Structure formats: C-alpha cells, structure tokens
Amino acid sequence: MNEYNDEYWMRQALSLAKRAQEEGEVPVGALLVLNNQVIGEGWNRPIGRHDPTAHAEIMALRQGGSVLQNYRLLDATLYVTLEPCVMCAGAMIHSRISRLVYGAADEKTGAAGSLVDILRHPGMNHQVEIVSGVLAEECSTTLSNFFRLRREQKKALKLTQQTGIIKS
C-alpha cells in the first residue's frame, strides 16, 4: 500500500477547490484522510446550497462522520487549501481530528494562527496539530486568480450598465 505525503493529498484538495470555482464558489477544497484513505471530501458550497456552514471543511467533516458512523474523527488529518475560519476550526476541535494541513494562510479570518489560533488554544478541550504552507503558492494563486477574475467581471458589468455597451 502506498503511503502518500501531505503534498499528494493537498493536490487532491486543490482539484476539489477547482470544483468549487466551476460552481461559482470561492475555490477552497478539503480532504479528510484516515489511515491513508479518503473518508471525506468537500468544496465550498455556501452560495449554491444557501447554507452559511457549507464550507469545504465542514462538508468533508460531515462526510467523514457519515463514513465512520461517528462524530469523533480520531487520528484523521484534514487537508484544506485555505487556512480555516473560526467556524471550521471549532468543528475540527469537536470532531477531534488529530492534524490540519493547509495551504494558503488567511490573514483576515484565519483561525489556525494567522488571525487567531483556535486549534491550539490552551483553553480548548482538544488541540489539533497544524502544518501550514503545503503547496501554499498554488493554493494562494488559485484564490488570487479567482478574486481577480471576479473583480474584472464586476467592473465589466458596471461598465456595461453605465454605457449600455456589451463587450465580447
């Protein structure tokens, strides 16, 4: 049986991030791995599902719980292309995953060390080992390109509304 490394799994999470982007969502992907096997996967879907909790991490954790028939995901590792927010970090603590591996840091809302560190807070009843920066450049570029394209689309729409001219 092949023993895959963090970069291998992060590449899989990046492919899930692309699925989110194809659905018009912020391109974040997550993969939950236990004993070298995927037990959960997710990509951002809050817009399409009309669900503020439908972040990639939550989707992967939900699927993992369903596969294991247990809300405790002991010894599992969650791979995410973007540093988790507070909500997702809280879910990770409640699920008792052992490791989080993420790609791009999120200085604005990151809850794994950038803004706050929920996962290693001494007051929490469970702490999660954190590995950051795995394929950070690729993860960051995916997000940057998405937001740049979105700004360009908004700008073009605004221009079209102002001038009545449609550019092709």
Side-chain angles (χ1 to χ4, degrees):
M1 178 161 142
N2 286 339
E3 191 66 33
Y4 298 110
N5 65 14
D6 290 345
E7 282 192 14
Y8 171 84
W9 294 119
M10 188 60 73
R11 288 197 193 290
Q12 308 306 309
L14 271 164
S15 72
L16 294 170
K18 287 181 183 26
R19 285 182 77 169
Q21 184 164 352
E22 289 164 6
E23 294 177 16
E25 305 273 2
V26 176
V28 177
L31 203 66
L32 187 63
V33 176
L34 179 66
N35 298 326
N36 213 35
Q37 288 190 311
V38 176
I39 60 167
E41 62 179 30
W43 56 93
N44 268 6
R45 302 173 94 175
I47 298 166
R49 293 223 169 159
H50 311 290
D51 179 356
T53 69
H55 288 194
E57 300 94 322
I58 301 294
M59 305 304 279
L61 291 170
R62 284 179 183 157
Q63 191 176 51
S66 185
V67 165
L68 296 181
Q69 289 294 288
N70 196 333
Y71 74 98
R72 294 220 165 147
L73 307 171
L74 304 172
D75 301 319
T77 297
L78 185 64
Y79 293 88
V80 189
T81 56
L82 179 66
E83 180 180 358
C85 70
V86 172
M87 173 185 69
C88 293
M92 288 174 213
I93 289 167
H94 289 295
S95 72
R96 305 289 198 276
I97 64 167
S98 61
R99 289 176 75 226
L100 162 70
V101 178
Y102 72 85
D106 186 347
E107 302 297 327
K108 292 178 183 169
T109 64
S114 290
L115 177 66
V116 293
D117 192 348
I118 302 294
L119 299 173
R120 293 181 290 206
H121 190 283
M124 293 294 168
N125 61 346
H126 176 73
Q127 294 189 356
V128 177
E129 176 191 337
I130 301 170
V131 178
S132 60
V134 174
L135 300 183
E137 195 170 318
E138 289 175 56
C139 293
S140 225
T141 300
T142 299
L143 287 156
S144 300
N145 289 345
F146 172 81
F147 286 114
R148 188 187 72 246
L149 185 63
R150 186 173 267 184
R151 284 190 301 272
E152 289 169 5
Q153 288 168 340
K154 282 184 179 177
K155 193 175 175 182
L157 180 63
K158 199 175 191 180
L159 188 65
T160 302
Q161 290 170 341
Q162 289 172 349
T163 62
I165 301 169
I166 299 172
K167 289 188 176 186
S168 55

